[in-house]
Amino acid sequence: MDGGLAILARLVETKGDALLTRWRELLLEAGASGGGRIKDAELQKQCREFLQALGTALNAGVDARGVAGPEFASARALLDEVSRSRAAQGFSPRETATFVFSLKGPLFEQLRDQFADDAVTVSNVGWEMSQLIDQLGLYTMEVFQRSREEVVRRQQEEIAELSTPVVKLWNGILALPLIGTLDSARTQVVMENLLQAIVDQSAELAIIDITGVPTVDTLVAQHLLKTIAAARLMGADCIISGIRPQIAQTMVHLGVELDVVSKATLADALALAFQRTGRTVVRKAAKG
Amino acid sequence: MDRIPILKLGSALLVSIQVDIHDQLARALEEDLSARIVATGARGVMIDISGLDVVDSFMGRMLDNIAAVSRLLDADTVVVGMRPAVAITLVELGLSLTGVKTALNVERGMALIGDGRYEALEDDRAAEGADDRDPG
């Protein structure tokens, strides 16, 4: 007698159309179209192509590596695409996994119809089929997870870019309003942005405002000091502003020392910057 | 042997480093510079490193040495024109050149060496236009 997978292969080949119809019904029932995010035609195309790839793989014979083997390359590529596109479209893990797992039902139904009087074959082939689909399902979820992680990583990068603007306050006076925690990666971006801005605007003073930094521990302080040292090497002085009272207390308790001029508010820092560059701000006399 | 030229600009000396420095060149520069400081009675030394893409710890130590020698001869050292990438590298190496003054470019460096900080520059700017005026 043929191995279970060979029987499966023949089943997929001969009953392809019936499988496809039933599979699609189940998918639609389970809401795998994601409320219209995937068009019916597209879903049908994905199903048909996957069945074909599965049939080819089963015909080629499955080795010990299971779905990781070379026979399943095209099936995996298809699942990659399906999983990635669903992750990008914001499908839930359940909706994505349903795509593969819902194939189990139709396959089993066909198997039962074909071997109605042979319970042993049904259970044996059914078991192999079930394991295969499970592996494919797990693979889909891995890809899905990876795609989501990629999205998160990209967003982190974008946030890091967005949240480190360098603002020109006056001729030669820059402000760097920091928002969020300073880690090594962000410090690098901040430093590069600041130094480039110093060159571009030939700035002589930079005010680093840390009102938006939630906590300042020894590591953050070290990152700040690095930034300040780099700016000094470029010939620009730095003033720190916006240290909140709680943070000031924490810093003292931790023994963190910032050996630079610091002011309570950005306004104070700007006033100091004006003073250092020999400027004064005067109020116009009120109109009489 | 090639040497790094030392130019006299008013009361300051200008050294522009455009090539990679090796031991011999560094020693030659130190000797030349100290001799020129004494001979000209210069008040400041400007080292322009805007031509350098790469700076290593040797270079950082050399700058520190020159600064120390100049200080003994009563001249300020100003390093000018450091590139952002170079500044980041030096900081990551732990060299922040504490004994050395820094400036963005030669013009600023000159103002720093001259009697008052930035005064010359401020005069220039005031003459340039009204963009310095407070808008409020």
Side-chain angles (χ1 to χ4, degrees):
Chain A
M1 194 188 120
D2 282 340
L5 291 170
I7 293 176
L8 261 185
R10 220 163 40 238
L11 206 64
V12 170
E13 218 168 280
T14 51
K15 303 283 182 186
D17 287 340
L19 279 173
L20 191 63
T21 319
R22 187 79 186 102
W23 189 17
R24 222 190 92 233
E25 275 171 25
L26 283 175
L27 277 176
L28 290 178
E29 249 173 58
S33 63
R37 270 175 291 183
I38 288 192
K39 293 209 173 54
D40 192 30
E42 200 187 337
L43 188 66
Q44 206 169 350
K45 181 169 156 273
Q46 287 172 345
C47 289
R48 195 168 42 241
E49 283 175 358
F50 181 69
L51 267 184
Q52 269 169 9
L54 186 68
T56 321
L58 285 171
N59 269 330
V62 183
D63 60 14
R65 280 171 293 177
V67 297
E71 303 84 18
F72 278 91
S74 63
R76 281 204 311 271
L78 252 167
L79 283 181
D80 273 353
E81 192 198 314
V82 167
S83 197
R84 282 229 175 79
S85 65
R86 285 194 179 23
Q89 281 168 310
F91 276 69
S92 73
R94 175 195 293 268
E95 284 165 335
T96 309
T98 304
F99 177 76
V100 177
F101 285 129
S102 59
L103 179 58
K104 241 187 220 186
L107 272 174
F108 199 76
E109 279 166 16
Q110 289 298 332
L111 197 63
R112 216 174 31 200
D113 289 351
Q114 196 127 23
F115 300 93
D117 47 358
D118 189 354
V120 178
T121 310
V122 170
S123 61
N124 280 348
V125 179
W127 169 244
E128 286 199 39
M129 181 268 290
S130 175
Q131 272 188 317
L132 193 74
I133 298 286
D134 284 351
Q135 284 184 37
L136 288 169
L138 284 176
Y139 179 77
T140 313
M141 287 324 292
E142 270 172 19
V143 176
F144 180 80
Q145 188 70 23
R146 260 205 308 277
S147 318
R148 292 305 289 249
E149 274 162 16
E150 262 169 41
V151 172
V152 171
R153 199 174 38 74
R154 210 174 47 240
Q155 282 174 343
Q156 269 175 344
E157 277 170 16
E158 272 168 27
I159 290 172
E161 281 284 318
L162 282 178
S163 58
T164 52
V166 182
V167 189
K168 177 182 176 184
L169 285 184
W170 213 266
N171 264 347
I173 302 175
L174 296 175
L176 182 71
L178 290 178
I179 293 164
T181 314
L182 270 185
D183 54 19
S184 306
R186 262 195 82 196
T187 309
Q188 191 75 18
V189 178
V190 168
M191 220 192 263
E192 280 168 17
N193 284 355
L194 177 65
L195 298 191
Q196 196 52 51
I198 288 173
V199 175
D200 292 345
Q201 321 213 2
S202 32
E204 59 206 55
L205 271 169
I207 301 171
I208 302 179
D209 185 76
I210 58 168
T211 313
V213 180
T215 49
V216 176
D217 53 15
T218 44
L219 202 64
V220 173
Q222 199 202 348
H223 287 147
L224 279 175
L225 286 175
K226 265 189 189 172
T227 311
I228 293 165
R232 200 193 71 87
L233 284 176
M234 305 269 310
D237 277 338
C238 285
I239 304 170
I240 297 234
S241 76
I243 303 180
R244 277 175 285 145
Q246 303 96 317
I247 288 184
Q249 286 172 32
T250 323
M251 283 168 72
V252 171
H253 288 161
L254 282 174
V256 174
E257 273 192 45
L258 287 179
D259 199 15
V260 280
V261 184
S262 66
K263 290 278 169 191
T265 63
L266 185 61
D268 291 341
L270 183 60
L272 177 68
F274 279 154
Q275 191 195 330
R276 282 219 196 148
T277 51
R279 296 182 172 96
T280 45
V281 181
V282 286
R283 188 198 291 270
K284 264 189 195 166
K287 278 178 191 165
Chain B
M1 194 188 82
D2 47 341
R3 291 195 161 226
I4 291 175
I6 300 171
L7 314 171
K8 187 171 181 299
L9 273 176
S11 62
L13 296 178
L14 174 62
V15 182
S16 186
I17 299 177
Q18 309 282 348
V19 292
D20 273 346
I21 296 245
H22 46 83
D23 283 25
Q24 241 178 354
L25 202 53
R27 201 165 332 114
L29 178 62
E30 256 174 58
E31 279 169 21
D32 287 356
L33 195 58
S34 42
R36 284 295 295 273
I37 292 173
V38 173
T40 58
R43 302 249 324 264
V45 175
M46 246 189 303
I47 305 174
D48 173 39
I49 56 168
S50 56
L52 289 186
D53 281 329
V54 185
V55 166
D56 54 9
S57 52
F58 174 73
M59 187 76 190
R61 214 186 65 215
M62 193 206 75
L63 292 175
D64 264 341
N65 277 351
I66 290 182
V69 169
S70 311
R71 207 175 310 122
L72 281 175
L73 299 171
D74 194 23
D76 279 340
T77 308
V78 186
V79 173
V80 300
M82 192 182 293
R83 295 192 182 185
V86 171
I88 292 175
T89 314
L90 279 183
V91 170
E92 294 295 344
L93 283 173
L95 295 166
S96 46
L97 305 183
T98 36
V100 184
K101 287 183 181 174
T102 49
L104 191 67
N105 48 38
V106 175
E107 193 186 11
R108 288 262 171 86
M110 280 304 286
L112 208 57
I113 286 175
D115 36 10
R117 286 188 59 162
Y118 300 122
E119 266 178 25
L121 266 184
E122 286 300 300
D123 289 346
D124 285 354
R125 274 211 197 139
E128 259 173 35
D131 57 344
D132 249 11
R133 209 172 294 148
D134 181 21

